[in-house]
Structures are given as C-alpha cells and as structure tokens.
Amino acid sequence: MTVRNRLLVLLAAVLALATVAVLSVLHASARADRRNETQPGGPRVSAGRVALTTPGRMVFRNMAWGPHRDELTSVPASDPSGPRTASGVKCLRFYAAAGTGLCLQAVHGAVSDTYRALILDARLKEKDHYDVPGIPSRARVSPTGHFAAWTAFVGGDSYAGTDFSTRAAIVDVRTGELTPSLEAYRVIKDGHAYRSADVNFWGVTFASDDRTFYATLATQRRTYLVRGDLRARTVTTLHTNVECPSLSPDGTRIAYKKRVKGLPKDAPWRLYVLDLRTMHETALAEPRSVDDQAVWKDPRTLVYALPGDYGADLYTVPADGTGKPRRISTAAVSPAYVNQTTGG
C-alpha cells in the first residue's frame, strides 16, 4: 500500500470516528430534550409552593419527564398518585423531618459532575451545604431535624457487587459539626474493639433521642446492623446480614434489605423487619429485590422504590409480613412524609 493510500485510509477512519461521536452527542441531546417534554399519560405536575411543615403531605423527587423532572414535588399523603406541586429544587436523593430537609445534588461541570449535600429549611431554602465525595445513594434526617446523614459511592456503583466503597457522613445541622466518615468511630464487634482496612458504612437511620443511630457496617464480605452513639462516637454490631436499615416510628423495629441465598447476584435482596428486642426477623410480602432504604409511612406500612418506566415507582407493603405490595405512585423516588412523627 502506498503512502497516499495509507493516508486516505487513516483519514477515512478518523472521519468515521468523528461521525459516530457527533451522532452519539446528537442522540444524547435529543434524549435529554425528550425528558423535558411532558409525556402523555404521565402524572400532572405544576409549579407551586412546597413546604416541609404542611400537614399530611408526601414530598419526593419527581422523575416524570417534563419541565419539572428531578424537582422536589409534593402530593397529599392520602392521594400519592394525585397532581404534583413542583418546588423548583432539584435533588438526586432527599429526606426530611421536623422542618429540616436534606437534598443531595449533582453540580454539573464542563468535564465531570461533583456532588453536594444541601441542608434546607422548611421552605426549601438552603441553610448550609457540604461537599459529597461521590455519587449520592442514601439520605436521612433525624426525627428532631437536628441531624442529617448521607451515603455516597466513592468506588464502584452498586451495593450488589463487592467492588465498591462508601462514605457515610453525619452533620449536626444546628452547629455545622460534620463527621465526614463514620470510619472515624470506634467499632465494637462481638463485644471487642475491631479494626480493619476494609470497613465500610452506609444507610444511616436515626432514633428520636439525638444520640442513637443505626447503620450498615460491611467488613470481610459480611454486613452487620450496628447501633451508633453520637456522643461516645462508637458503633456496636447487633445482627448480621442487614443493609440500609430504617428505624420504625416507635423505635422498636428495623426495616431493611437482606441478601437471600439463591437469588441472582444483581438482585439479591428481600425486605425484612427485625424486632430489636427479640431479634426476630419477619420476611415481608414483597417478592422482588428491593435496592432501597425503605421509609415508614406509619407504624404499620413501609414505602420503597422499585425500577419503573421513568426511573422508579413507589410501592407500599405491610410491615408485619401480611398482605401484598401495592404501587402508589409512578416516576417517583426518595419519599418523605413531612410534619408527622416517623422514623429517621
């Protein structure tokens, strides 16, 4: 092959790659534009005022395509599939309690995205913000509204595998005192001090005493429910095979996802509830794998997200193992029942 022919082949290859790149960008842009267009049959969403102290409301991230996609929206808790009021505030993950909101956001840059945690007041106005070291995955606020916690992936992208690392942070929203990682706490495992380079934490949930919290600790390819003490800065293992715990409103039970043998590696979980007094586990009536930190709607009912046409849909199931799951809202994730006493 002559030099001229080689140059022509090289030029053709470069032009082909450039064409593929341009088409990929155009396709992504077109898809993004479609996401900004309201889809027929989707939920009705309109701009309005959203507050975290309005009685009987559920606030969540709206995932329906349209101009209000990813905004915090509000519906009556008694009519979760009804018309949505959009706030204009966009979050990837969200939670709220006692008039305090936690919004985990993406900050889009020219080269890559960064992430931050916003502390919001009852009118969704920013009170403070903190850098988040990776992709946000979990958010919680204590029942008093005094503490907030978030979890982020800092390596890998899924709880289902083993190649990931997480950071779980807790902040006192009154003082701004931040614990960037629970790895700074002393671990007590099986009654003894424990140290290991592979320790990971995620999925914080708070009790109402402004001292006690629960979380998942992972080490040596096992997961544990731990009880944390904000004053003593300790975490103590309580039970094995617990992920993303959620404390009941009365503080007596933990809802969580549990790995079940025999299930697919990419969908290994079932929902359970653990009685903290007896350590008895109850399997719930949801037969699908749930990769979420469930929310207690009330002492009898759990709410959680499962994959849907626009990202995720919300479902409920009784917390005592009876009944069956029921979808309550489409294109929604990260629900919080505001101005009522719920677990943190």
Side-chain angles (χ1 to χ4, degrees):
M1 183 180 292
T2 66
V3 173
R4 180 175 179 276
N5 287 341
R6 288 175 180 172
L7 289 175
L8 289 174
V9 169
L10 177 61
L11 178 61
V14 170
L15 289 174
L17 290 173
T19 300
V20 170
V22 170
L23 290 175
S24 297
V25 170
L26 291 175
H27 176 74
S29 177
R31 181 174 175 81
D33 289 341
R34 289 198 303 273
R35 288 189 176 190
N36 292 326
E37 298 176 359
T38 302
Q39 300 299 301
R44 192 170 66 193
V45 188
S46 58
R49 179 178 176 272
V50 174
L52 301 181
T53 51
T54 304
R57 305 290 292 187
M58 181 176 75
V59 180
F60 57 95
R61 174 189 170 193
N62 169 56
M63 300 190 75
W65 285 11
H68 301 291
R69 181 177 171 86
D70 297 328
E71 292 182 20
L72 295 181
T73 53
S74 175
V75 295
S78 59
D79 184 20
S81 62
R84 303 176 180 184
T85 301
S87 66
V89 178
K90 291 189 175 184
C91 305
L92 297 176
R93 293 287 178 178
F94 171 75
Y95 198 73
T100 297
L102 173 60
C103 170
L104 304 182
Q105 280 187 337
V107 181
H108 301 297
V111 177
S112 62
D113 292 347
T114 57
Y115 303 94
R116 64 184 179 180
L118 302 185
I119 306 299
L120 306 176
D121 67 13
R123 296 184 178 181
L124 300 185
K125 300 300 182 183
E126 180 182 337
K127 296 173 61 179
D128 214 337
H129 67 269
Y130 303 87
D131 292 336
V132 175
I135 300 172
S137 63
R138 304 289 180 240
R140 276 297 189 269
V141 176
S142 66
T144 62
H146 293 163
F147 291 90
W150 56 87
T151 303
F153 287 113
V154 295
D157 61 359
S158 172
Y159 291 111
T162 58
D163 182 22
F164 71 88
S165 180
T166 58
R167 294 288 183 276
I170 295 179
V171 65
D172 185 330
V173 302
R174 300 163 298 178
T175 65
E177 182 181 356
L178 173 69
T179 300
S181 174
L182 286 181
E183 293 172 28
Y185 277 38
R186 185 164 63 96
V187 177
I188 302 171
K189 180 177 176 288
D190 302 325
H192 303 283
Y194 178 80
R195 290 185 180 181
S196 178
D198 73 340
V199 164
N200 269 316
F201 292 94
W202 65 84
V204 174
T205 184
F206 293 98
S208 60
D209 61 3
D210 276 352
R211 178 170 182 169
T212 306
F213 66 90
Y214 297 86
T216 294
L217 177 153
T219 183
Q220 303 298 313
R221 296 182 175 271
R222 300 187 72 184
T223 60
Y224 300 85
L225 173 68
V226 295
R227 180 177 59 238
D229 187 319
L230 290 168
R231 298 179 194 171
R233 294 177 66 83
T234 60
V235 293
T236 303
T237 59
L238 299 178
H239 199 69
T240 59
N241 199 5
V242 172
E243 299 183 55
C244 297
S246 182
L247 186 64
S248 64
D250 62 6
T252 64
R253 292 161 292 159
I254 291 280
Y256 62 100
K257 60 180 192 179
K258 173 181 177 177
R259 290 177 183 266
V260 176
K261 290 182 179 180
L263 295 182
K265 289 185 178 180
D266 61 347
W269 299 291
R270 292 290 186 267
L271 281 180
Y272 279 73
V273 167
L274 177 71
D275 186 307
L276 289 172
R277 183 180 63 85
T278 65
M279 290 295 163
H280 175 72
E281 295 180 321
T282 299
L284 303 190
E286 173 56 77
R288 292 162 291 187
S289 184
V290 177
D291 183 10
D292 196 15
Q293 186 173 17
V295 170
W296 292 82
K297 177 186 176 184
D298 54 48
R300 301 170 302 279
T301 312
L302 289 164
V303 179
Y304 51 94
L306 285 171
D309 290 341
Y310 299 102
D313 298 335
L314 294 178
Y315 291 77
T316 65
V317 73
D320 61 0
T322 64
K324 61 181 180 180
R326 179 173 62 91
R327 188 170 67 178
I328 61 170
S329 188
T330 61
V333 74
S334 289
Y337 290 86
V338 300
N339 199 33
Q340 64 185 55
T341 301
T342 60

